Amino acid sequence: MADGSGFYAPTLAQLFGAVPVTLLILLVSMTLATLLAAVLTACSASASPGLRAFRAGWTFLFRGTPLILQIFMIYYGLAMLPWIRWGPAWPAFRDPIFCTCLALTCCCSAYIGEVFRGALAAVPAGEIEAGKACGMSRLQLLRRVIAPALIRIALPSYSNEVIMLAKSTSLASTITVLDITGVAQGIISKTYRTLDVFLCAAALYLLINAILSAGLRAWADRLSIDRPTPKAVEPL
Amino acid sequence: MTSPIVLTANNIRKTFNGREVLKGVSLEARAGDVIAILGGSGSGKSTFLRCLNLLEVPDDGEVMVGDFRAPLARNRKGRMVIADPRAAARMRGETAMVFQGFNLWPHMTVLENVMEAPLRVQRRDGAEVREKALALLERVGMAAFAGAYPKRLSGGQQQRVAIARALATNPKVILFDEPTSALDPERVRDVLALMRSIAREGCTMIVVTHEMAFARDVSTLVVHLADGVVESSGSPAHMFGLDASPAFRGFLAPAP
């Protein structure tokens, strides 16, 4: 590592070029997974047994199987089905970035859905009753009482899921996507400097996650009522 | 001279887990009435009050508030359910409720709590709603806290805000569910004094309470619930006199 400074700078610069791909996968999957999780939560609160069963089945399936198998099945597996291979959706399923986003969305929606469901159950019943008692419609109750409480309760666990998701995007490299990890592996195959290159890649993930956590914490602080969220656990 | 009927409950029945909590309770409230519902714990008094605005759906019987009949119907399994959520919301909008646990919305300031229903449910003009909300906060002695969040307030202060919130929609009747049971004695006095003064102004109130002095001095009708039925009822003078039913006298002063 004598020529450290001469190696790290160009490597970091090259890896930095892959940050947009990682961010694209992260932002698309995070947005879609959150929306899908909201739909799943609505299913769990529905009176319809069919919708409740759909949510339970979805969670069971996508939370119970490894993410990498989901990615492989969507990218390599679906291509074996004639109606995918020769169907109108083939241009999408041929694209590894699309397949990664699809797998991450399905998987993370199952986790985030559970976070939202737990938060919904934790919304104080009295606050909901106070809304009903003054004549709020179901939509008003949802928008004015339930959602504000639910977001505040769910935010810490939701932040966790988003950070897990940011790191899971690196699995895209297993299906040929040139994200940070993918580019890192390319550099390693030319230079054989495994540790140096992965250290650089890890530093970039740290940077992304530091910005994500700071953003999520700022959001939580803004929502928290008249005091910042506790930053340290009191010694027992 | 009789005032118009604002609330009627007819033969309300409710069963929880096989235990019949209400066995056919009826009540009629006229404008300006202050009805105190008394009874031991487990007598069904809170459940009855919650049936009046459909926070509990009665298994049988009917409720009317003003001209609104509670939109109840039996589902396929024979259980009574709210048949029309919009109509139920409209009926609830004619009433207001003050809870034992206050139940202010913690993410809204005191003023926002009071303005919420007139603004969003009744869709009244913002400036007028704000003016009235500030006047109500003044009335309950909480004007200085208009911009504060509920968790900064003591229980008694929160309950006074909750009363202002209930008054803000001009309800036909306000339902009080043990409004002083979660307060320390000093705060109980504040809240009871406020309830007395709004009763004097002609507000129609149905109050589930353990405050016997309030029932005796302020109410126009005392109802004693026991084992899910109206054991006895009458004017406070009658109920707190020597002719009251033995069961109610036993409830007031348990044998030494």
Side-chain angles (χ1 to χ4, degrees):
Chain A
M1 288 193 209
D3 57 343
S5 59
F7 181 75
Y8 282 114
T11 303
L12 269 174
Q14 219 178 328
L15 291 176
F16 205 80
V19 166
V21 177
T22 293
L23 286 184
L24 172 75
I25 296 171
L26 168 62
L27 293 178
V28 169
S29 312
M30 183 178 83
T31 309
L32 295 179
T34 304
L35 292 176
L36 190 51
V39 173
L40 291 172
T41 309
C43 289
S44 73
S46 156
S48 146
L51 289 178
R52 297 170 85 102
F54 168 73
R55 184 211 63 84
W58 184 275
T59 307
F60 178 69
L61 201 67
F62 285 103
R63 210 175 48 163
T65 54
L67 175 56
I68 195 153
L69 289 192
Q70 294 165 18
I71 292 175
F72 284 170
M73 278 193 276
I74 290 173
Y75 185 61
Y76 297 120
L78 292 184
M80 313 204 59
L81 302 174
W83 58 274
I84 293 274
R85 180 65 185 85
W86 308 110
W90 179 240
F93 283 98
R94 197 173 53 187
D95 176 13
I97 293 184
F98 170 84
C99 290
T100 306
C101 289
L102 183 61
L104 285 173
T105 298
C106 293
C107 181
C108 293
S109 70
Y111 282 98
I112 298 175
E114 286 300 280
V115 167
F116 287 175
R117 196 168 68 101
L120 179 61
V123 175
E127 291 170 28
I128 298 176
E129 286 189 343
K132 284 185 182 174
C134 71
M136 284 188 186
S137 68
R138 283 191 286 194
L139 192 64
Q140 284 171 332
L141 210 52
L142 192 65
R143 280 195 12 216
R144 303 293 304 170
V145 178
I146 296 172
L150 190 150
I151 290 172
R152 283 171 176 81
I153 297 167
L155 202 50
S157 313
Y158 175 75
S159 305
N160 247 346
E161 295 301 332
V162 169
I163 285 166
M164 291 295 288
L165 171 59
K167 292 181 295 180
S168 303
T169 58
S170 61
L171 290 174
S173 65
T174 61
I175 55 169
T176 77
V177 175
L178 291 176
D179 69 334
I180 296 173
T181 307
V183 169
Q185 279 168 336
I187 300 172
I188 290 166
S189 68
K190 283 183 231 133
T191 63
Y192 299 102
R193 297 180 62 156
T194 313
L195 185 60
D196 295 330
V197 177
F198 278 148
L199 273 175
C200 292
L204 286 181
Y205 282 105
L206 272 177
L207 181 69
I208 291 174
N209 277 333
I211 294 169
L212 267 184
S213 333
L216 288 162
R217 175 173 293 281
W219 190 24
D221 280 349
R222 215 167 64 86
L223 285 180
S224 80
I225 297 141
D226 86 359
R227 68 166 180 210
T229 35
K231 291 197 167 50
V233 175
E234 291 290 314
L236 288 174
Chain B
M1 165 207 108
T2 49
S3 357
I5 294 173
V6 294
L7 183 144
T8 317
N10 229 328
N11 203 31
I12 301 296
R13 290 175 179 275
K14 183 73 185 175
T15 300
F16 286 120
N17 303 322
R19 199 173 81 85
E20 197 171 24
V21 181
L22 297 175
K23 300 171 183 169
V25 179
S26 300
L27 185 75
E28 194 177 275
R30 290 177 178 277
D33 279 356
V34 177
I35 300 176
I37 301 180
L38 309 178
S41 34
S43 59
K45 54 194 191 304
S46 277
T47 303
F48 177 66
L49 194 75
R50 291 163 58 81
C51 283
L52 299 181
N53 63 355
L54 306 182
L55 287 186
E56 301 289 352
V57 178
D59 295 332
D60 199 10
E62 59 172 16
V63 182
M64 277 187 75
V65 177
D67 302 325
F68 291 96
R69 185 182 298 275
L72 301 177
R74 294 197 184 280
N75 66 9
R76 273 167 295 173
K77 289 175 192 158
R79 275 186 68 85
M80 197 90 111
V81 293
I82 292 176
D84 179 354
R86 281 158 180 262
R90 271 200 304 276
M91 189 185 103
R92 284 172 177 149
E94 298 286 312
T95 70
M97 192 171 225
V98 174
F99 299 86
Q100 182 177 352
F102 328 129
N103 296 349
L104 296 177
W105 298 300
H107 56 282
M108 299 182 199
T109 63
V110 162
L111 182 62
E112 286 165 349
N113 265 278
V114 178
M115 290 174 63
E116 180 70 12
L119 212 54
R120 311 275 169 180
V121 179
Q122 300 182 328
R123 296 177 195 285
R124 280 163 30 200
D125 170 64
E128 172 214 332
V129 165
R130 190 184 169 82
E131 199 176 317
K132 182 173 181 201
L134 286 169
L136 279 171
L137 286 175
E138 188 76 53
R139 170 90 185 70
V140 302
M142 290 298 294
F145 296 88
Y149 284 93
K151 76 172 170 198
R152 284 286 176 89
L153 309 180
S154 72
Q157 291 173 325
Q158 290 191 44
Q159 197 61 300
R160 284 188 277 154
V161 173
I163 291 172
R165 175 173 72 173
L167 290 167
T169 53
N170 296 319
K172 288 206 163 62
V173 54
I174 303 184
L175 311 173
F176 290 83
D177 189 4
E178 303 200 27
T180 56
S181 298
L183 303 176
D184 61 58
E186 211 174 328
R187 310 299 178 191
V188 169
R189 236 181 305 144
D190 291 353
V191 169
L192 286 178
L194 176 60
M195 288 171 62
R196 271 168 204 263
S197 83
I198 62 177
R200 264 200 305 274
E201 286 167 14
C203 180
T204 313
M205 299 160 58
I206 301 178
V207 187
V208 166
T209 185
H210 294 292
E211 294 294 331
M212 296 308 155
F214 179 85
R216 191 185 59 221
D217 301 342
V218 183
S219 70
T220 54
L221 179 72
V222 175
V223 175
H224 179 218
L225 274 190
D227 292 326
V229 296
V230 176
E231 185 276 325
S232 60
S233 69
S235 69
H238 169 76
M239 294 294 279
F240 288 91
L242 293 173
D243 301 335
S245 78
F248 185 62
R249 289 170 66 183
F251 168 70
L252 286 179

